[in-house]
Amino acid sequence: MRLLRDVASVGAGMVLVAVVGCTGGDGADAGTSTGAAPPAATRTPTPTTPSSPSPAAEPVSIPGLIEREHTGSNLKLGDVLTRTTAYTRYAVTYEANGLTISGIMNIPTGKGPFPALVLAHGYIDPDVYTTGRGLAREQDLLARNGYVVLHTDYRNHATSDKDPDNDVNLRLGYTEDVIGAVLALRSSTRPEIDGERIGLLGRSMGGGVTYNTLVVEPGLVDAAVVFAPVSSRPAENVDRFQRSEGDPIVAEIEAAHGTPEQNPKFWREVSPMTYADRVTEPLLIHHGTADDTCPITWSRQTTAAFKAAGKDVQLKEYKGESHAFGPQWPASMDTTMAFFAKHLR
């Protein structure tokens, strides 16, 4: 891990913010404390010279997230959900910026510590979502290949705490939940977890959450991978997934923040691409050319923006592959695991 996070006891206020994402959801799929909670891990500012937010940034913005003191702690393993010869699957909770977030964790069988991956799932209606749902294939395969896998449910999902302003505030709070998951892994005292080797994998909407995480917290993880991600420009996601469906939340979003024409500054400041120069980690993007949910053009544009900022980004295109990934998924995961093996040393 290139940036070692300090551990400190820090209080955090609950912030009600979060990325609009793809309606193409992922596949389907608590408990007791393991002891006294360790202190919260907090971010240490990365010594870079990136874009800096102005003083007193708008809370619902990337600069607002950059200014915030993010915390993550109190990782608790609960009930055993599945036990295989390769890994054990647990229900888990952790604290992120004052909220309790649920999820699942797969811990490989054998002697650790193992490198860890935080998984950020795509959009699934919170009303039907169940803990750990989404990225089921990835959860299984990565654990079988020696990674601790923490799949976050996000706020408002499963048994996580609620954030009533989440949708109006473009779901930026999911970024806080992912940052908190990484910090909770790092501050955990569990011997199975190598807190100095942590990566991030996001799919669809979770790809947008991953972009945000990389620009908000440079140095938080060692590397990141995204599959079939949403646009890195939230206004495009609102148009494609909400406005086109007549979602009444669009009117609330625009009443609170204005339209892109009325308030271009707001919409510029909720796009991670505005702050692409802050990224310090290598990024691998997988996208199918036949994706009719999140067009591959979005990933091409995002890749070009990162490259223009001098960042280490690679786009792998899969001819004829759809949003969910089918025949070429095994090859994409081989590439993913080789990428993590290279960077999570």
Side-chain angles (χ1 to χ4, degrees):
M1 182 72 190
R2 288 184 299 278
L3 177 63
L4 175 62
R5 299 284 166 167
D6 293 333
V7 177
S9 296
V10 179
M14 182 177 72
V15 183
L16 303 178
V17 291
V19 176
V20 172
C22 273
T23 55
D26 293 308
D29 163 294
T32 58
S33 172
T34 57
T42 62
R43 67 178 175 93
T44 300
T46 306
T48 61
T49 56
S51 300
S52 298
S54 57
E58 161 64 45
V60 184
S61 68
I62 298 297
L65 289 175
I66 292 169
E67 286 188 351
R68 193 154 302 129
E69 186 73 18
H70 297 283
T71 61
S73 64
N74 204 19
L75 179 66
K76 295 181 180 180
L77 272 63
D79 294 340
V80 172
L81 303 176
T82 307
R83 197 183 299 277
T84 74
T85 57
Y87 64 85
T88 303
R89 176 182 172 94
Y90 296 89
V92 299
T93 59
Y94 64 93
E95 304 299 317
N97 286 10
L99 296 182
T100 298
I101 306 299
S102 63
I104 66 93
M105 178 179 284
N106 291 346
I107 298 180
T109 303
K111 182 175 173 57
F114 302 100
L117 298 173
V118 172
L119 271 53
H121 64 80
Y123 180 81
I124 302 171
D125 186 344
D127 289 339
V128 301
Y129 181 90
T130 53
T131 192
R133 183 174 173 184
L135 291 163
R137 298 174 298 179
E138 291 80 0
Q139 293 174 28
D140 177 78
L141 182 64
L142 292 167
R144 290 181 183 278
N145 281 272
Y147 290 95
V148 170
V149 175
L150 173 54
H151 180 282
T152 176
D153 288 336
Y154 304 136
R155 61 191 62 194
N156 294 347
H157 291 68
T159 60
S160 297
D161 283 348
K162 305 308 176 187
D163 175 352
D165 296 329
N166 182 61
D167 287 341
V168 172
N169 289 338
L170 300 181
R171 303 177 189 152
L172 285 176
Y174 296 165
T175 302
E176 296 184 82
D177 301 338
V178 167
I179 292 171
V182 176
L183 295 175
L185 283 169
R186 186 162 301 120
S187 65
S188 171
T189 58
R190 297 199 63 87
E192 306 96 332
I193 300 170
D194 185 344
E196 297 308 308
R197 292 188 293 162
I198 301 179
L200 178 58
L201 186 149
R203 169 168 161 70
S204 195
M205 180 188 71
V209 175
T210 299
Y211 293 155
N212 284 355
T213 301
L214 294 177
V215 302
V216 170
E217 287 286 358
L220 179 71
V221 296
D222 292 297
V225 175
V226 297
F227 280 80
V230 294
S231 174
S232 54
R233 294 173 174 82
E236 292 184 327
N237 295 320
V238 170
D239 285 344
R240 185 172 182 88
F241 303 117
Q242 295 180 277
R243 194 185 308 279
S244 65
E245 298 294 325
D247 187 344
I249 292 295
V250 174
E252 296 183 46
I253 291 170
E254 293 178 348
H257 308 298
T259 67
E261 294 74 27
Q262 294 167 338
N263 192 358
K265 179 177 183 289
F266 170 82
W267 290 94
R268 184 171 61 252
E269 291 187 348
V270 292
S271 170
M273 288 303 93
T274 304
Y275 309 94
D277 60 325
R278 290 179 56 85
V279 175
T280 57
E281 291 68 54
L283 170 66
L284 173 62
I285 303 173
H286 299 287
H287 214 130
T289 61
D291 190 334
D292 59 3
T293 300
C294 294
I296 194 171
T297 302
W298 286 349
S299 285
R300 291 170 178 165
Q301 292 170 344
T302 297
T303 299
F306 276 125
K307 285 186 177 294
K311 303 309 171 183
D312 182 0
V313 59
Q314 179 183 9
L315 172 61
K316 295 281 291 183
E317 298 190 4
Y318 297 82
K319 186 175 181 180
E321 196 60 85
S322 66
H323 185 64
F325 271 71
Q328 298 177 79
W329 180 80
S332 74
M333 289 304 295
D334 287 344
T335 302
T336 293
M337 288 187 289
F339 179 80
F340 281 135
K342 176 181 177 180
H343 295 291
L344 272 65
R345 296 174 180 165

